[in-house]
Amino acid sequence: MNVTIKDVAKKAGVSPSTVSRVIADHPRISKETSRRVKEIMEELGYHPNLMAKSLVSRTTRTIAVILPKPAEELLLNFFFYELIRGVLAQLTRAGYDLLMAGGSNEQEELETVTRLVRGGRIDGLLLLYSRSSDPIIHFLRNEKVPFALIGRSLDYEDVPSVDNDNVQAAYDATNHLIAQGQKRIGFVTGPTKLAMTQDRMMGYSKALAEAGLPLKQSWVVEGEFLLESGYRAMASIMSQPEPPTALVVIDDVVAFGVLKGLAELGYRIPQDIAIVSFNNIALAELTMPPITSVDVGTYQLGYTASQMVLRMIQQVDITARQIIPHRLVVRESSLRTVSHV
Amino acid sequence: MNVTIKDVAKKAGVSPSTVSRVIADHPRISKETSRRVKEIMEELGYHPNLMAKSLVSRTTRTIAVILPKPAEELLLNFFFYELIRGVLAQLTRAGYDLLMAGGSNEQEELETVTRLVRGGRIDGLLLLYSRSSDPIIHFLRNEKVPFALIGRSLDYEDVPSVDNDNVQAAYDATNHLIAQGQKRIGFVTGPTKLAMTQDRMMGYSKALAEAGLPLKQSWVVEGEFLLESGYRAMASIMSQPEPPTALVVIDDVVAFGVLKGLAELGYRIPQDIAIVSFNNIALAELTMPPITSVDVGTYQLGYTASQMVLRMIQQVDITARQIIPHRLVVRESSLRTVSHV
DNA sequence: TCACCTTGTGCAAACGATTTACTTTTTTTT
DNA sequence: AAAAAAAAGTAAATCGTTTGCACAAGGTGA
């Protein structure tokens, strides 16, 4: 059996309440008593039972991250890991633990969230994505649980969230291609349910429109955030009579697939097809050729979002949407004139 | 205030104990009562308080993963994510949650573990690495907490763990280079404190010895599991009078750095320097050239280790060491005769 | 009919902390 | 030196469950 607060109290010749106050550094406790009790805690190797503590304090010092749908698939995308790195950094700094949970479908996800929230297992949570008409967001608002979104809610304006200006980001990326003289620019996109996808699509079409360039529906392919998606998209998009000569790709990992697909079809990059993508994961600079990518400050996104949740837990009322700046990192994959190494 | 078991009891006109028994599907409860109580639970949106539950049951359905030292750095290596994917898959399957925690140095790590274990916050845990004379392992054995290691303990024989046969893996990798006619084979290694590093080093030297090839100390460079490590290693290793013509690299990410370093120095791969590395992360096939890598079944490693912990929680006594098979995946980076695409 | 199961339920004591409201002791003020 | 105020500590209630034991009612075998 573990050593409890009573054991410490008995050995120190004081009441449990006193020990509790010593732990909490309560001012009512004399220097001398405090010292003695602490010594005994040390001696007995006492550590407070966190469950008992949570039960009475209604607090757990734990934040949950909900892993969407097929967590396994999702986690194949390094973007999320970089995000989690940021989250973890902020949470450990603040002395919070991170709980990862999920479900295998939307229904199960909601059940998990309900279990954790109603069950009092967590103090707040973080959603790593934002899709339209999400029942989880609805639930969390009703329960008034501190939570923040990475991305933005398509349903509610005032959900605390951390996001990029994805419209502008895609606008910049597309304009970069246009500046390189590209005229036939396609888009390999993600699930259209996601806000991020919709925003980037909008920036893309805005740039095309302003430049007076055509947006052909056959140049736009939808997929998942997976390598295979990009890979498969190439077969279809390049087989049409007049294929694009440049592609905006929703995500680096997808772009890796695009690269692989194009290589197999015998296209050279960037000479035949230029590529720009998003997220700028570490490996974007290691492919051949290195990929031009919009750095969205992924780590910052996670770090800031956690900070937001932590603030909300401290009763700070937040309904803000915070924007993390992006930055186009130009590499070989998008350049018209290239001198190969 | 949340709805408690008492609220349900009152509304159903039964005692809290009865409600508790309904939840647990106790056989002594009548069909009729059970039905009525369940109906009311549904109606009130009742969810049991997990903290109270844990307090009395001394169980949390949570497994912790301890992130070593500078978690931030560590997480730059994709190997760990693949590991965590496996862990997560197993845990969610079994209805367990995953808690991630860590510290910024060995001392803090131990404190975190102590807090979680003594504080009763977790049912078991998983260590993602194994270094020599680790105080955490020592602590966990004393406390008799269910835990498993990925890798193997250098201090104790009987620590439940899941590992590869790293000696054999490195032996195979090195022999592959030898079979390609390589005579001057170097090794870019990881922290020598880790069992994995030591084992691979051994397999490497064994293969060289058997083939009657020299092992020059100046061909062996130690580093971290980081891209920079591999990158920096190249400057020193290639500047010597008789540099190696082939390299065994401890990890794919490090190999990425190696590739980058060699490219900058003007070496061609594999014509000038052949490369073999370990872990076979998804991106190993996307670099230019694609990297020959030993697939160690990373996902399996995580999956199996979690399973082991779960079994131990179910009182199954485990002191076994389980070996996950490895497999050399040959790609361009190691081949002597190459026809470029 | 009686002693004895079986079945269904309730009471109350844990689990290990925190916290409110008191009590006791010491110090200060007048 | 008495009264008031401050300091230090305690007892007991509470958080929301589970569970051992008691008990009532109905059924069974002799």
Side-chain angles (χ1 to χ4, degrees):
Chain A
M1 202 53 40
N2 255 331
V3 32
T4 79
I5 206 172
K6 283 185 193 165
D7 303 328
V8 176
K10 188 171 294 172
K11 181 136 191 178
V14 296
S15 76
S17 5
T18 300
V19 177
S20 173
R21 291 205 172 89
V22 168
I23 296 169
D25 267 327
H26 190 108
R28 280 279 265 293
I29 300 296
S30 72
K31 273 281 169 227
E32 166 54 19
T33 307
S34 172
R35 196 196 51 67
R36 210 176 69 246
V37 169
K38 275 180 180 159
E39 201 175 288
I40 295 197
M41 292 191 338
E42 185 71 29
E43 184 187 329
L44 297 182
Y46 169 74
H47 275 256
N49 182 300
L50 299 171
M51 295 305 148
K53 210 166 165 164
S54 290
L55 181 56
V56 44
S57 71
R58 302 176 157 295
T59 246
T60 61
R61 293 196 84 81
T62 304
I63 300 294
V65 161
I66 303 303
L67 299 172
K69 286 209 244 182
E72 300 214 16
E73 268 189 22
L74 189 98
L75 295 181
L76 287 173
N77 194 306
F78 303 110
F79 173 73
F80 286 93
Y81 289 120
E82 185 68 7
L83 217 50
I84 287 175
R85 257 186 72 224
V87 170
L88 220 41
Q90 173 67 263
L91 292 187
T92 44
R93 208 186 56 80
Y96 274 69
D97 293 327
L98 177 63
L99 190 80
M100 297 184 105
S104 46
N105 56 55
E106 287 202 20
Q107 177 58 23
E108 263 187 49
E109 267 174 60
L110 182 58
E111 274 165 22
T112 302
V113 171
T114 311
R115 175 175 65 85
L116 294 175
V117 168
R118 287 264 175 79
R121 215 230 249 299
I122 56 175
D123 291 353
L125 69 188
L126 228 64
L127 302 181
L128 298 188
Y129 56 97
S130 43
R131 56 192 173 205
S132 52
S133 62
D134 190 331
I136 294 183
I137 294 187
H138 189 74
F139 171 77
L140 292 175
R141 299 180 105 232
N142 274 359
E143 296 280 314
K144 307 209 181 310
V145 192
F147 80 101
L149 206 61
I150 289 172
R152 71 185 177 88
S153 169
L154 288 163
D155 305 317
Y156 308 99
E157 274 295 320
D158 60 343
V159 173
S161 46
V162 180
D163 199 3
N164 302 110
D165 184 342
N166 276 309
V167 177
Q168 184 68 39
Y171 180 80
D172 294 349
T174 312
N175 269 338
H176 166 68
L177 290 175
I178 294 172
Q180 298 289 314
Q182 297 289 352
K183 304 249 182 275
R184 285 148 55 189
I185 305 175
F187 196 142
V188 180
T189 180
T192 47
K193 214 182 173 186
L194 298 183
M196 178 208 277
T197 304
Q198 298 185 16
D199 289 350
R200 289 185 184 165
M201 185 68 200
M202 175 162 294
Y204 159 74
S205 40
K206 185 176 158 213
L208 291 187
E210 285 186 10
L213 294 174
L215 190 170
K216 286 180 66 172
Q217 275 313 320
S218 60
W219 291 349
V220 177
V221 201
E222 182 185 342
E224 304 277 314
F225 283 157
L226 295 175
L227 205 143
E228 275 70 33
S229 264
Y231 181 73
R232 275 199 299 268
M234 289 310 98
S236 66
I237 208 171
M238 299 310 289
S239 65
Q240 46 188 306
E242 216 185 29
T245 58
L247 290 171
V248 180
V249 184
I250 193 75
D251 170 88
D252 290 327
V253 172
V254 180
F256 292 159
V258 165
L259 243 49
K260 193 178 169 194
L262 290 177
E264 284 187 14
L265 295 172
Y267 291 94
R268 290 163 310 157
I269 302 176
Q271 296 90 328
D272 304 331
I273 313 279
I275 305 278
V276 173
S277 84
F278 292 87
N279 295 351
N280 191 33
I281 67 177
L283 296 159
E285 63 166 316
L286 290 168
T287 46
M288 205 62 184
I291 300 177
T292 294
S293 187
V294 179
D295 191 318
V296 296
T298 316
Y299 181 93
Q300 269 300 316
L301 236 35
Y303 192 89
T304 310
S306 326
Q307 192 174 49
M308 203 173 247
V309 174
L310 257 29
R311 289 237 180 86
M312 294 172 80
I313 290 173
Q314 255 110 78
Q315 313 294 351
V316 183
D317 225 345
I318 293 181
T319 55
R321 198 167 154 243
Q322 200 159 329
I323 300 294
I324 303 292
H326 63 269
R327 183 173 57 89
L328 183 72
V329 178
V330 178
R331 302 200 184 86
E332 245 180 71
S333 75
S334 65
L335 298 177
R336 245 310 145 72
T337 44
V338 173
S339 56
H340 247 295
V341 187
Chain B
M1 202 54 39
N2 255 332
V3 30
T4 79
I5 208 172
K6 283 184 192 166
D7 303 329
V8 176
K10 187 171 292 171
K11 181 137 190 178
V14 296
S15 76
S17 7
T18 299
V19 177
S20 173
R21 291 199 176 98
V22 167
I23 294 169
D25 267 327
H26 190 107
R28 289 274 270 277
I29 297 292
S30 75
K31 274 280 168 226
E32 167 55 18
T33 307
S34 173
R35 197 197 49 69
R36 212 176 66 247
V37 169
K38 276 180 178 161
E39 200 174 289
I40 295 198
M41 292 191 337
E42 184 70 29
E43 184 186 332
L44 297 182
Y46 169 74
H47 275 257
N49 181 300
L50 299 172
M51 295 305 148
K53 212 167 164 164
S54 290
L55 181 57
V56 43
S57 71
R58 302 176 156 295
T59 246
T60 61
R61 292 196 85 82
T62 304
I63 300 294
V65 161
I66 303 302
L67 298 171
K69 286 210 246 181
E72 300 213 17
E73 270 189 21
L74 188 98
L75 294 181
L76 288 173
N77 193 307
F78 303 111
F79 173 72
F80 286 92
Y81 288 120
E82 185 68 8
L83 218 49
I84 288 174
R85 258 186 72 225
V87 170
L88 221 41
Q90 173 67 264
L91 292 187
T92 44
R93 209 187 56 80
Y96 274 69
D97 293 327
L98 176 63
L99 189 81
M100 299 183 104
S104 44
N105 55 55
E106 286 202 21
Q107 176 58 23
E108 262 187 52
E109 267 174 61
L110 183 58
E111 273 165 22
T112 302
V113 170
T114 311
R115 175 175 65 86
L116 294 175
V117 168
R118 287 265 175 79
R121 219 229 241 307
I122 56 175
D123 291 353
L125 68 187
L126 227 65
L127 302 181
L128 298 188
Y129 56 96
S130 43
R131 56 194 173 202
S132 54
S133 61
D134 190 332
I136 295 183
I137 294 187
H138 188 76
F139 171 78
L140 292 175
R141 299 180 105 231
N142 274 359
E143 297 279 314
K144 306 207 182 312
V145 193
F147 81 100
L149 206 62
I150 288 171
R152 69 185 178 88
S153 170
L154 288 163
D155 305 316
Y156 308 98
E157 274 296 320
D158 60 342
V159 173
S161 48
V162 180
D163 199 4
N164 301 109
D165 183 342
N166 275 309
V167 177
Q168 184 68 38
Y171 180 80
D172 294 350
T174 311
N175 269 338
H176 166 67
L177 289 174
I178 294 173
Q180 298 289 314
Q182 297 289 352
K183 304 249 181 274
R184 284 149 55 192
I185 305 175
F187 195 143
V188 180
T189 181
T192 46
K193 214 181 173 187
L194 299 183
M196 178 207 277
T197 304
Q198 297 185 17
D199 290 350
R200 289 185 184 164
M201 185 68 200
M202 175 163 293
Y204 159 73
S205 38
K206 185 175 158 213
L208 290 186
E210 285 186 11
L213 293 175
L215 191 170
K216 285 181 65 174
Q217 275 313 319
S218 61
W219 290 350
V220 177
V221 201
E222 183 185 343
E224 303 278 312
F225 284 157
L226 295 175
L227 207 143
E228 275 70 31
S229 264
Y231 181 73
R232 275 199 300 268
M234 289 310 98
S236 65
I237 209 170
M238 299 310 290
S239 65
Q240 46 188 307
E242 216 185 29
T245 57
L247 290 171
V248 181
V249 183
I250 192 77
D251 169 88
D252 291 327
V253 172
V254 180
F256 292 160
V258 165
L259 243 50
K260 194 177 169 194
L262 290 176
E264 284 188 12
L265 295 172
Y267 292 94
R268 290 163 312 157
I269 303 179
Q271 296 89 328
D272 304 332
I273 313 277
I275 304 277
V276 175
S277 83
F278 291 87
N279 294 352
N280 191 34
I281 68 176
L283 296 159
E285 64 166 316
L286 290 168
T287 47
M288 204 62 185
I291 301 178
T292 294
S293 188
V294 179
D295 191 318
V296 296
T298 316
Y299 180 92
Q300 269 299 316
L301 237 34
Y303 192 87
T304 310
S306 325
Q307 193 174 47
M308 203 173 248
V309 175
L310 258 29
R311 290 236 180 87
M312 295 173 79
I313 290 173
Q314 254 109 79
Q315 313 295 350
V316 183
D317 225 345
I318 293 181
T319 56
R321 199 166 153 243
Q322 200 158 330
I323 300 295
I324 304 293
H326 63 268
R327 183 174 56 91
L328 183 72
V329 179
V330 177
R331 301 200 183 86
E332 244 180 71
S333 74
S334 65
L335 298 178
R336 244 311 143 74
T337 44
V338 172
S339 58
H340 247 295
V341 189

